[in-house]
Amino acid sequence: MASCRVCDLRVLVATVCGLLTAIVLGLGIWRIVISVEKGTLTPTANTTIKFCRNGGTWENGRCVCPEEWRGWKCTIPYFCESSTAGDLTFARIPVGQYGSSQQTCGENTLNVGYPIATRMCNISIYGEIVLENVTKGNCDENLETLENKIVNMVAQLENISSETQILTSNVSKMTPENITSAARVVGEIFNTSRNASFEAKDTAVSTVSQLLSVGEDVFQQVPVAAPDDALTTLIQQMESYSLSLNSTSVVKPNVAVQTVLFSTKSTVLFSVKKGDSDSLISGSITVDTNVSNTNPDAETELQILLNTSKSNTKCGFIVYQNSKFFRSKIFKPKSNFSQKIISGKTDETKKDQRTSVEIVFNPRYDPKTFQIHSYACVYWNFIKKDWDTNGCHKRRGTDEFLYCHCNHTTNFAVLMSFEKKYKYPASLDILSNVGCALSITGLALTIVFQIVTRNVRKTSVTWVFVSLCTSMLIFNLLFVFGIENSNKNLVKRDNGTNKMDSDKNEIPMQDTVVISNPTCTVMAVLLHYFLLVTFTWTGISAAQLYFLLIRTMKPLPQHFIVFISLIGWGVPAIVVALTVGIIFSLNRNDPQWELEYRQEEICWLAVPDKKDLITSPFLWSFILPVTIILINNIVVFIIIIVKVIWKNNRNLTSTKKVSSLKKILSMLSIAVVFGITWILAYLMLIDNDVVRTVFSYMFCLFNTTQGLQIFVLYTVRTKIFQDEASKVLKLLSLSTGRKKSLPSVTSLRLRVRMYNMLRSFPALNEHFRLLEPSVITEETTLSESDQANPSI
């Protein structure tokens, strides 16, 4: 009857393990089938990229075209083709801009590397795109010498304006000193006391447009606290220039200037419409003097309604494409959001000025990715040389526009801070929860079993295996209870701007807002550490098995446990500490520095874009060490398979079929401990949605149940566990038998028949023996190697 009980136990164990495996596999297959039915495995073409041609991008229901293309699909050319003029050649030039010659000044000139000449691509009065004449520069003049000349009035202003435009045409070569010199030169040209010609001022506006194209990082180095601030002077001179155009406009890609004269009306509405591109064009600027209120529509980007106290007034308007001239010490932009500046000025004196201004902004941003967190209605205070809110306040609106009211005229802006719409993933699904729960349970039981039965094996073997299981158990617990960012539940996100506080007009500190979550950062650090620890112990397990089976080291090195403990628990700590320390030191002035280390969507390492992969901490602190460990484990795994497991042994007495099954089980046991299934993560990088999704489910299936696999292969299959489990079942059966008087005759006969049936099928009986952790050959028996080596 004892043999029958052992067989019953093996059948029970086989049944339970089979059911668990079937459940997990079934969940994985079910998830794949559901994904196929929903169409998530079918690769979807990016229709917006195909719809918008020639580099256009789909934003807010329309194509935003690059500077060289226009039209609904960005298919209408808006440039002048490559051209030649004498010995000078010019590349393609967008309409409204100057193009630089490909020939540059020689090495022996003052302007080495700068273009020799420029020519403009313009639109004629008939709407045709035409190339204007070439303007040649002087290679022995630079911005510093031009600055000295205009101060001393030793040259014609038209020549100085043309030379400045040529020297600023190549924005990639501009330096902070060049920006300051060019701003001083252009400011003097706009100065009314200089009496510069209309052509000189028109060319100067082109120079201003080119300066606004210089990179933000260069502008950040321009001094803003100097007493003779060139940019502040330029802004003031531009305001004066905006009153001198006699109801005409000058529009360049990054700046537009308009003068309005009205005699009977005291109200004027200046509007900027959205175009096919981010550049300003003549058709996007409109003026209306027959309105009394703002009237924005879907195509409106900004409007300014100016109410004056008297008629016969002259008004000037300026639109700056960005805020680079306005170097604020309070508001620090971190992103590439376009913050347009609108200037409104009248020719009234301060004593008589009773002007009110209504402003409407419809900022350009991607509502699918961002939403406005807060905004402030501000003006540029020339005394503070910074943004100010005095005299300006918000107005409530019923649509998506931002409304402001000010009681004076100057340079206005709406400073906005945006909040990114993170796509927080759904909670762990059934497959992940079941797999992790089974792994946590299996790892806990395995650790207890290994500690209780530690006397039957080497101390080092138990220590390595228990350390591996412990790190894996802690990682699984952290993953289940800490991978989700608590901001997912705390932050209330809405897509509208109407729910923002309309009474609070405070200047934001920067244009992007992230709700900090130190708990998530700590969780990401712990997950990073314990996953690295787990992989490190798999590598140590591989090295130990290699020395015990292949090298047959006798004995193991002195203080081996201390040495491997320092490696297994200490090296990952050094890697994580260095990673966090370096990231913090490089971004200590950024309140969002932690997002350089972790993601906001989940509490895990930040995954960089392809262009930033080489310099990312994710590569150096995780991918690289894990890859090295996996390569090492795979090499050791192959060596053990070839030299030990599948090595022919003449003393093998089992049948070939059973021997092969035992070998396969041994291979699986080693593969699980070595973490071989993690190579599926690399297959998830294949650029195919179907293949990637299939490997993702396989990765989830095998790695969330890694703890369960260890429990089955290293605990359930041991004879000690089966004997102890048999005793427990025997006690349970005895306790159950006390409650019953006598078992029925039918039940007793059924047990006898089952026992006789099992004995009559030796093959079946041999099959159940596979549940025992057998060893194929003498070389593969860890315990035999341990007996040959003294314990430490």
Side-chain angles (χ1 to χ4, degrees), residues 137-193:
N138 186 350
C139 288
D140 291 321
E141 294 278 8
N142 60 17
L143 291 171
E144 286 75 15
T145 59
L146 292 176
E147 184 181 355
N148 294 329
K149 281 187 176 182
I150 200 169
V151 171
N152 299 320
M153 289 295 294
V154 296
Q156 293 293 328
L157 293 181
E158 287 188 26
N159 294 335
I160 294 178
S161 184
S162 297
E163 291 287 348
T164 305
Q165 183 276 318
I166 294 173
L167 292 174
T168 58
S169 60
N170 189 352
V171 297
S172 62
K173 296 181 68 67
M174 294 293 291
T175 64
E177 293 75 20
N178 294 153
I179 294 175
T180 302
S181 297
R184 288 199 178 101
V185 171
V186 174
E188 289 296 324
I189 293 174
F190 286 132
N191 193 332
T192 55
S193 63

Short mmCIF file of all heavy atoms in Angstrom, two decimals, residues 137-193:
data_model
loop_
_atom_site.label_atom_id
_atom_site.label_comp_id
_atom_site.label_asym_id
_atom_site.label_seq_id
_atom_site.Cartn_x
_atom_site.Cartn_y
_atom_site.Cartn_z
N GLY A 137 28.34 90.62 -50.76
CA GLY A 137 28.86 91.22 -49.55
C GLY A 137 30.35 91.47 -49.64
O GLY A 137 31.00 91.13 -50.62
N ASN A 138 30.86 92.06 -48.58
CA ASN A 138 32.28 92.36 -48.49
C ASN A 138 32.92 91.39 -47.51
O ASN A 138 32.60 91.37 -46.33
CB ASN A 138 32.47 93.80 -48.02
CG ASN A 138 33.93 94.23 -48.04
OD1 ASN A 138 34.83 93.42 -48.23
ND2 ASN A 138 34.16 95.53 -47.84
N CYS A 139 33.81 90.55 -48.01
CA CYS A 139 34.43 89.52 -47.16
C CYS A 139 35.35 90.11 -46.10
O CYS A 139 35.80 89.39 -45.21
CB CYS A 139 35.20 88.53 -48.04
SG CYS A 139 34.12 87.43 -48.99
N ASP A 140 35.67 91.40 -46.19
CA ASP A 140 36.52 92.03 -45.20
C ASP A 140 35.73 92.85 -44.19
O ASP A 140 36.29 93.67 -43.46
CB ASP A 140 37.56 92.93 -45.89
CG ASP A 140 38.58 92.12 -46.66
OD1 ASP A 140 38.97 91.05 -46.14
OD2 ASP A 140 38.95 92.52 -47.78
N GLU A 141 34.41 92.63 -44.16
CA GLU A 141 33.56 93.28 -43.16
C GLU A 141 32.88 92.20 -42.31
O GLU A 141 32.36 91.22 -42.84
CB GLU A 141 32.47 94.12 -43.84
CG GLU A 141 32.99 95.32 -44.61
CD GLU A 141 33.25 96.50 -43.70
OE1 GLU A 141 33.17 96.34 -42.48
OE2 GLU A 141 33.56 97.59 -44.24
N ASN A 142 32.91 92.41 -41.00
CA ASN A 142 32.14 91.52 -40.13
C ASN A 142 31.19 92.34 -39.27
O ASN A 142 31.15 93.58 -39.37
CB ASN A 142 33.06 90.65 -39.28
CG ASN A 142 33.98 91.46 -38.37
OD1 ASN A 142 33.74 92.65 -38.12
ND2 ASN A 142 35.01 90.82 -37.88
N LEU A 143 30.43 91.68 -38.42
CA LEU A 143 29.42 92.39 -37.65
C LEU A 143 30.03 93.40 -36.69
O LEU A 143 29.43 94.45 -36.41
CB LEU A 143 28.57 91.36 -36.87
CG LEU A 143 27.66 90.49 -37.74
CD1 LEU A 143 27.04 89.37 -36.90
CD2 LEU A 143 26.57 91.32 -38.38
N GLU A 144 31.21 93.12 -36.16
CA GLU A 144 31.85 94.06 -35.24
C GLU A 144 32.27 95.34 -35.97
O GLU A 144 32.06 96.45 -35.46
CB GLU A 144 33.07 93.40 -34.59
CG GLU A 144 32.74 92.37 -33.53
CD GLU A 144 32.23 91.06 -34.14
OE1 GLU A 144 32.42 90.86 -35.36
OE2 GLU A 144 31.67 90.24 -33.39
N THR A 145 32.83 95.20 -37.17
CA THR A 145 33.23 96.39 -37.92
C THR A 145 32.01 97.17 -38.39
O THR A 145 32.03 98.41 -38.41
CB THR A 145 34.09 95.99 -39.12
OG1 THR A 145 33.34 95.10 -39.98
CG2 THR A 145 35.36 95.28 -38.67
N LEU A 146 30.94 96.47 -38.74
CA LEU A 146 29.71 97.17 -39.13
C LEU A 146 29.12 97.94 -37.95
O LEU A 146 28.57 99.03 -38.10
CB LEU A 146 28.68 96.16 -39.66
CG LEU A 146 29.01 95.49 -40.99
CD1 LEU A 146 27.95 94.45 -41.34
CD2 LEU A 146 29.10 96.53 -42.11
N GLU A 147 29.23 97.36 -36.76
CA GLU A 147 28.74 98.05 -35.56
C GLU A 147 29.50 99.35 -35.34
O GLU A 147 28.90 100.39 -34.99
CB GLU A 147 28.89 97.12 -34.36
CG GLU A 147 28.35 97.68 -33.06
CD GLU A 147 28.55 96.72 -31.89
OE1 GLU A 147 29.03 95.59 -32.13
OE2 GLU A 147 28.24 97.13 -30.75
N ASN A 148 30.82 99.32 -35.54
CA ASN A 148 31.62 100.54 -35.39
C ASN A 148 31.27 101.56 -36.45
O ASN A 148 31.21 102.77 -36.18
CB ASN A 148 33.11 100.20 -35.45
CG ASN A 148 33.55 99.34 -34.27
OD1 ASN A 148 32.99 99.46 -33.18
ND2 ASN A 148 34.53 98.48 -34.49
N LYS A 149 31.02 101.10 -37.69
CA LYS A 149 30.71 102.02 -38.77
C LYS A 149 29.38 102.74 -38.56
O LYS A 149 29.26 103.93 -38.80
CB LYS A 149 30.67 101.26 -40.11
CG LYS A 149 32.04 100.97 -40.68
CD LYS A 149 31.91 100.38 -42.08
CE LYS A 149 33.29 100.17 -42.70
NZ LYS A 149 33.20 99.62 -44.09
N ILE A 150 28.37 101.98 -38.10
CA ILE A 150 27.05 102.61 -37.96
C ILE A 150 27.03 103.60 -36.79
O ILE A 150 26.29 104.58 -36.80
CB ILE A 150 25.96 101.54 -37.80
CG1 ILE A 150 24.60 102.15 -38.14
CG2 ILE A 150 25.93 100.96 -36.40
CD1 ILE A 150 23.49 101.15 -38.27
N VAL A 151 27.88 103.35 -35.79
CA VAL A 151 27.97 104.31 -34.69
C VAL A 151 28.63 105.60 -35.15
O VAL A 151 28.22 106.71 -34.78
CB VAL A 151 28.75 103.68 -33.52
CG1 VAL A 151 29.05 104.73 -32.45
CG2 VAL A 151 27.96 102.54 -32.91
N ASN A 152 29.64 105.47 -36.00
CA ASN A 152 30.39 106.65 -36.48
C ASN A 152 29.82 107.21 -37.77
O ASN A 152 30.35 108.20 -38.29
CB ASN A 152 31.86 106.27 -36.69
CG ASN A 152 32.51 105.81 -35.40
OD1 ASN A 152 32.26 106.37 -34.32
ND2 ASN A 152 33.35 104.76 -35.49
N MET A 153 28.77 106.56 -38.33
CA MET A 153 28.12 107.03 -39.56
C MET A 153 29.13 107.24 -40.68
O MET A 153 29.20 108.29 -41.30
CB MET A 153 27.35 108.32 -39.29
CG MET A 153 26.10 108.14 -38.46
SD MET A 153 24.84 107.16 -39.31
CE MET A 153 24.44 108.25 -40.67
N VAL A 154 29.93 106.24 -40.94
CA VAL A 154 30.95 106.37 -41.99
C VAL A 154 30.56 105.58 -43.24
O VAL A 154 31.36 105.47 -44.16
CB VAL A 154 32.32 105.88 -41.48
CG1 VAL A 154 32.80 106.75 -40.33
CG2 VAL A 154 32.23 104.42 -41.03
N ALA A 155 29.33 105.07 -43.31
CA ALA A 155 28.91 104.32 -44.49
C ALA A 155 27.41 104.49 -44.67
O ALA A 155 26.68 104.89 -43.75
CB ALA A 155 29.27 102.84 -44.35
N GLN A 156 26.93 104.19 -45.86
CA GLN A 156 25.51 104.26 -46.16
C GLN A 156 24.77 103.18 -45.38
O GLN A 156 25.22 102.04 -45.29
CB GLN A 156 25.29 104.10 -47.66
CG GLN A 156 25.83 105.23 -48.50
CD GLN A 156 25.06 106.53 -48.27
OE1 GLN A 156 23.86 106.51 -47.99
NE2 GLN A 156 25.78 107.65 -48.36
N LEU A 157 23.60 103.55 -44.84
CA LEU A 157 22.83 102.60 -44.04
C LEU A 157 22.34 101.42 -44.88
O LEU A 157 22.21 100.30 -44.37
CB LEU A 157 21.66 103.31 -43.38
CG LEU A 157 22.02 104.35 -42.31
CD1 LEU A 157 20.77 104.97 -41.72
CD2 LEU A 157 22.85 103.70 -41.20
N GLU A 158 22.04 101.65 -46.16
CA GLU A 158 21.58 100.55 -47.01
C GLU A 158 22.67 99.50 -47.16
O GLU A 158 22.39 98.29 -47.12
CB GLU A 158 21.17 101.09 -48.38
CG GLU A 158 19.86 101.86 -48.37
CD GLU A 158 19.39 102.21 -49.77
OE1 GLU A 158 19.76 101.48 -50.72
OE2 GLU A 158 18.65 103.19 -49.93
N ASN A 159 23.91 99.93 -47.35
CA ASN A 159 25.01 98.97 -47.47
C ASN A 159 25.21 98.21 -46.16
O ASN A 159 25.44 96.99 -46.16
CB ASN A 159 26.29 99.71 -47.86
CG ASN A 159 26.21 100.31 -49.25
OD1 ASN A 159 25.43 99.84 -50.09
ND2 ASN A 159 26.98 101.35 -49.49
N ILE A 160 25.15 98.95 -45.04
CA ILE A 160 25.33 98.28 -43.74
C ILE A 160 24.21 97.28 -43.50
O ILE A 160 24.45 96.16 -43.02
CB ILE A 160 25.38 99.33 -42.61
CG1 ILE A 160 26.63 100.20 -42.75
CG2 ILE A 160 25.35 98.65 -41.24
CD1 ILE A 160 26.74 101.28 -41.70
N SER A 161 22.98 97.65 -43.88
CA SER A 161 21.84 96.74 -43.68
C SER A 161 22.00 95.48 -44.53
O SER A 161 21.73 94.36 -44.06
CB SER A 161 20.53 97.46 -44.01
OG SER A 161 19.43 96.63 -43.75
N SER A 162 22.45 95.64 -45.77
CA SER A 162 22.65 94.49 -46.65
C SER A 162 23.76 93.59 -46.14
O SER A 162 23.64 92.35 -46.13
CB SER A 162 22.97 94.96 -48.08
OG SER A 162 21.89 95.68 -48.63
N GLU A 163 24.88 94.22 -45.70
CA GLU A 163 25.99 93.42 -45.18
C GLU A 163 25.56 92.64 -43.93
O GLU A 163 25.92 91.47 -43.76
CB GLU A 163 27.17 94.34 -44.84
CG GLU A 163 27.86 94.97 -46.03
CD GLU A 163 28.70 93.97 -46.82
OE1 GLU A 163 28.91 92.84 -46.32
OE2 GLU A 163 29.14 94.32 -47.92
N THR A 164 24.76 93.28 -43.07
CA THR A 164 24.30 92.60 -41.85
C THR A 164 23.41 91.42 -42.20
O THR A 164 23.49 90.35 -41.58
CB THR A 164 23.55 93.59 -40.95
OG1 THR A 164 24.38 94.72 -40.70
CG2 THR A 164 23.16 92.94 -39.63
N GLN A 165 22.54 91.63 -43.20
CA GLN A 165 21.65 90.53 -43.60
C GLN A 165 22.45 89.35 -44.15
O GLN A 165 22.15 88.19 -43.84
CB GLN A 165 20.65 91.04 -44.64
CG GLN A 165 19.63 90.04 -45.10
CD GLN A 165 20.15 89.16 -46.22
OE1 GLN A 165 20.82 89.64 -47.14
NE2 GLN A 165 19.88 87.86 -46.12
N ILE A 166 23.48 89.63 -44.91
CA ILE A 166 24.30 88.55 -45.48
C ILE A 166 25.04 87.80 -44.36
O ILE A 166 25.09 86.57 -44.35
CB ILE A 166 25.29 89.13 -46.51
CG1 ILE A 166 24.55 89.68 -47.73
CG2 ILE A 166 26.29 88.06 -46.95
CD1 ILE A 166 25.44 90.41 -48.71
N LEU A 167 25.58 88.54 -43.42
CA LEU A 167 26.37 87.91 -42.35
C LEU A 167 25.51 87.11 -41.38
O LEU A 167 26.04 86.28 -40.64
CB LEU A 167 27.15 88.99 -41.59
CG LEU A 167 28.28 89.67 -42.38
CD1 LEU A 167 28.88 90.82 -41.59
CD2 LEU A 167 29.36 88.67 -42.75
N THR A 168 24.22 87.38 -41.34
CA THR A 168 23.33 86.63 -40.44
C THR A 168 22.50 85.59 -41.19
O THR A 168 21.64 84.95 -40.58
CB THR A 168 22.37 87.58 -39.71
OG1 THR A 168 21.61 88.33 -40.68
CG2 THR A 168 23.12 88.53 -38.79
N SER A 169 22.76 85.39 -42.48
CA SER A 169 21.96 84.45 -43.27
C SER A 169 22.25 83.00 -42.90
O SER A 169 21.38 82.14 -42.97
CB SER A 169 22.20 84.66 -44.77
OG SER A 169 23.57 84.46 -45.09
N ASN A 170 23.49 82.72 -42.48
CA ASN A 170 23.85 81.37 -42.05
C ASN A 170 23.71 81.30 -40.53
O ASN A 170 24.65 81.57 -39.78
CB ASN A 170 25.27 81.03 -42.49
CG ASN A 170 25.61 79.56 -42.27
OD1 ASN A 170 24.85 78.81 -41.65
ND2 ASN A 170 26.76 79.14 -42.77
N VAL A 171 22.50 80.93 -40.06
CA VAL A 171 22.22 80.98 -38.62
C VAL A 171 23.04 79.96 -37.84
O VAL A 171 23.23 80.11 -36.63
CB VAL A 171 20.71 80.79 -38.37
CG1 VAL A 171 19.91 81.92 -38.98
CG2 VAL A 171 20.23 79.44 -38.90
N SER A 172 23.50 78.92 -38.51
CA SER A 172 24.27 77.89 -37.79
C SER A 172 25.63 78.40 -37.34
O SER A 172 26.25 77.81 -36.45
CB SER A 172 24.44 76.65 -38.68
OG SER A 172 25.17 76.98 -39.85
N LYS A 173 26.11 79.50 -37.94
CA LYS A 173 27.42 80.04 -37.57
C LYS A 173 27.31 81.21 -36.59
O LYS A 173 28.32 81.79 -36.20
CB LYS A 173 28.17 80.49 -38.83
CG LYS A 173 28.51 79.36 -39.80
CD LYS A 173 29.26 79.86 -40.99
CE LYS A 173 30.66 80.35 -40.66
NZ LYS A 173 31.54 79.25 -40.22
N MET A 174 26.09 81.53 -36.18
CA MET A 174 25.90 82.68 -35.30
C MET A 174 26.35 82.35 -33.88
O MET A 174 26.13 81.25 -33.37
CB MET A 174 24.44 83.11 -35.30
CG MET A 174 23.96 83.66 -36.64
SD MET A 174 24.75 85.22 -37.06
CE MET A 174 24.04 86.29 -35.83
N THR A 175 26.99 83.34 -33.25
CA THR A 175 27.44 83.22 -31.87
C THR A 175 26.69 84.26 -31.03
O THR A 175 26.07 85.18 -31.57
CB THR A 175 28.95 83.46 -31.77
OG1 THR A 175 29.23 84.82 -32.16
CG2 THR A 175 29.71 82.50 -32.66
N PRO A 176 26.74 84.15 -29.69
CA PRO A 176 26.10 85.18 -28.86
C PRO A 176 26.64 86.58 -29.15
O PRO A 176 25.87 87.56 -29.13
CB PRO A 176 26.44 84.73 -27.44
CG PRO A 176 26.63 83.25 -27.54
CD PRO A 176 27.25 83.03 -28.88
N GLU A 177 27.94 86.70 -29.42
CA GLU A 177 28.51 88.00 -29.74
C GLU A 177 27.96 88.52 -31.08
O GLU A 177 27.70 89.73 -31.22
CB GLU A 177 30.03 87.91 -29.81
CG GLU A 177 30.71 87.61 -28.47
CD GLU A 177 30.56 86.17 -28.03
OE1 GLU A 177 30.26 85.33 -28.90
OE2 GLU A 177 30.72 85.89 -26.84
N ASN A 178 27.79 87.62 -32.06
CA ASN A 178 27.21 88.02 -33.34
C ASN A 178 25.79 88.53 -33.17
O ASN A 178 25.39 89.53 -33.80
CB ASN A 178 27.19 86.85 -34.31
CG ASN A 178 28.59 86.39 -34.72
OD1 ASN A 178 28.81 85.23 -35.06
ND2 ASN A 178 29.56 87.30 -34.66
N ILE A 179 25.00 87.86 -32.32
CA ILE A 179 23.61 88.29 -32.09
C ILE A 179 23.59 89.69 -31.50
O ILE A 179 22.81 90.57 -31.92
CB ILE A 179 22.89 87.29 -31.17
CG1 ILE A 179 22.73 85.95 -31.87
CG2 ILE A 179 21.53 87.84 -30.74
CD1 ILE A 179 22.12 84.87 -30.99
N THR A 180 24.46 89.95 -30.51
CA THR A 180 24.50 91.26 -29.87
C THR A 180 24.90 92.34 -30.87
O THR A 180 24.27 93.41 -30.94
CB THR A 180 25.48 91.24 -28.69
OG1 THR A 180 25.07 90.24 -27.77
CG2 THR A 180 25.52 92.58 -28.00
N SER A 181 25.92 92.08 -31.69
CA SER A 181 26.37 93.07 -32.67
C SER A 181 25.30 93.33 -33.72
O SER A 181 25.03 94.49 -34.07
CB SER A 181 27.67 92.60 -33.34
OG SER A 181 28.71 92.48 -32.40
N ALA A 182 24.69 92.25 -34.23
CA ALA A 182 23.65 92.41 -35.24
C ALA A 182 22.45 93.17 -34.68
O ALA A 182 21.85 94.01 -35.36
CB ALA A 182 23.21 91.04 -35.76
N ALA A 183 22.09 92.91 -33.42
CA ALA A 183 20.96 93.62 -32.80
C ALA A 183 21.26 95.10 -32.68
O ALA A 183 20.38 95.95 -32.90
CB ALA A 183 20.65 93.01 -31.44
N ARG A 184 22.49 95.46 -32.34
CA ARG A 184 22.84 96.87 -32.24
C ARG A 184 22.79 97.56 -33.61
O ARG A 184 22.28 98.67 -33.74
CB ARG A 184 24.25 97.02 -31.64
CG ARG A 184 24.31 96.68 -30.15
CD ARG A 184 25.57 97.27 -29.53
NE ARG A 184 25.61 96.99 -28.10
CZ ARG A 184 26.34 96.03 -27.54
NH1 ARG A 184 27.09 95.24 -28.30
NH2 ARG A 184 26.32 95.85 -26.24
N VAL A 185 23.29 96.89 -34.63
CA VAL A 185 23.29 97.48 -35.97
C VAL A 185 21.86 97.68 -36.45
O VAL A 185 21.48 98.77 -36.93
CB VAL A 185 24.06 96.57 -36.94
CG1 VAL A 185 23.88 97.06 -38.38
CG2 VAL A 185 25.54 96.52 -36.57
N VAL A 186 21.02 96.64 -36.32
CA VAL A 186 19.65 96.74 -36.81
C VAL A 186 18.86 97.76 -35.99
O VAL A 186 18.02 98.50 -36.52
CB VAL A 186 18.98 95.35 -36.76
CG1 VAL A 186 17.51 95.45 -37.13
CG2 VAL A 186 19.68 94.39 -37.70
N GLY A 187 19.11 97.82 -34.67
CA GLY A 187 18.42 98.81 -33.84
C GLY A 187 18.72 100.22 -34.28
O GLY A 187 17.83 101.09 -34.26
N GLU A 188 19.96 100.48 -34.68
CA GLU A 188 20.31 101.81 -35.17
C GLU A 188 19.64 102.10 -36.51
O GLU A 188 19.28 103.26 -36.79
CB GLU A 188 21.83 101.94 -35.29
CG GLU A 188 22.57 102.00 -33.98
CD GLU A 188 22.21 103.24 -33.17
OE1 GLU A 188 21.98 104.31 -33.80
OE2 GLU A 188 22.13 103.15 -31.94
N ILE A 189 19.48 101.11 -37.34
CA ILE A 189 18.80 101.33 -38.63
C ILE A 189 17.34 101.70 -38.42
O ILE A 189 16.78 102.54 -39.13
CB ILE A 189 18.94 100.07 -39.51
CG1 ILE A 189 20.41 99.87 -39.90
CG2 ILE A 189 18.07 100.16 -40.76
CD1 ILE A 189 20.68 98.58 -40.64
N PHE A 190 16.69 101.08 -37.41
CA PHE A 190 15.29 101.41 -37.11
C PHE A 190 15.16 102.73 -36.36
O PHE A 190 14.05 103.28 -36.28
CB PHE A 190 14.66 100.29 -36.28
CG PHE A 190 14.37 99.05 -37.06
CD1 PHE A 190 14.75 97.81 -36.57
CD2 PHE A 190 13.71 99.11 -38.28
CE1 PHE A 190 14.47 96.65 -37.27
CE2 PHE A 190 13.44 97.95 -39.00
CZ PHE A 190 13.83 96.72 -38.50
N ASN A 191 16.23 103.25 -35.82
CA ASN A 191 16.18 104.50 -35.07
C ASN A 191 15.70 105.63 -35.99
O ASN A 191 16.26 105.86 -37.05
CB ASN A 191 17.57 104.82 -34.51
CG ASN A 191 17.54 105.91 -33.47
OD1 ASN A 191 16.68 106.79 -33.49
ND2 ASN A 191 18.49 105.86 -32.55
N THR A 192 14.64 106.31 -35.55
CA THR A 192 14.05 107.36 -36.40
C THR A 192 15.01 108.50 -36.67
O THR A 192 14.91 109.18 -37.71
CB THR A 192 12.78 107.91 -35.73
OG1 THR A 192 13.10 108.35 -34.40
CG2 THR A 192 11.70 106.84 -35.64
N SER A 193 15.97 108.72 -35.78
CA SER A 193 16.92 109.81 -35.98
C SER A 193 17.91 109.51 -37.10
O SER A 193 18.57 110.43 -37.60
CB SER A 193 17.67 110.10 -34.68
OG SER A 193 18.44 108.97 -34.29
#
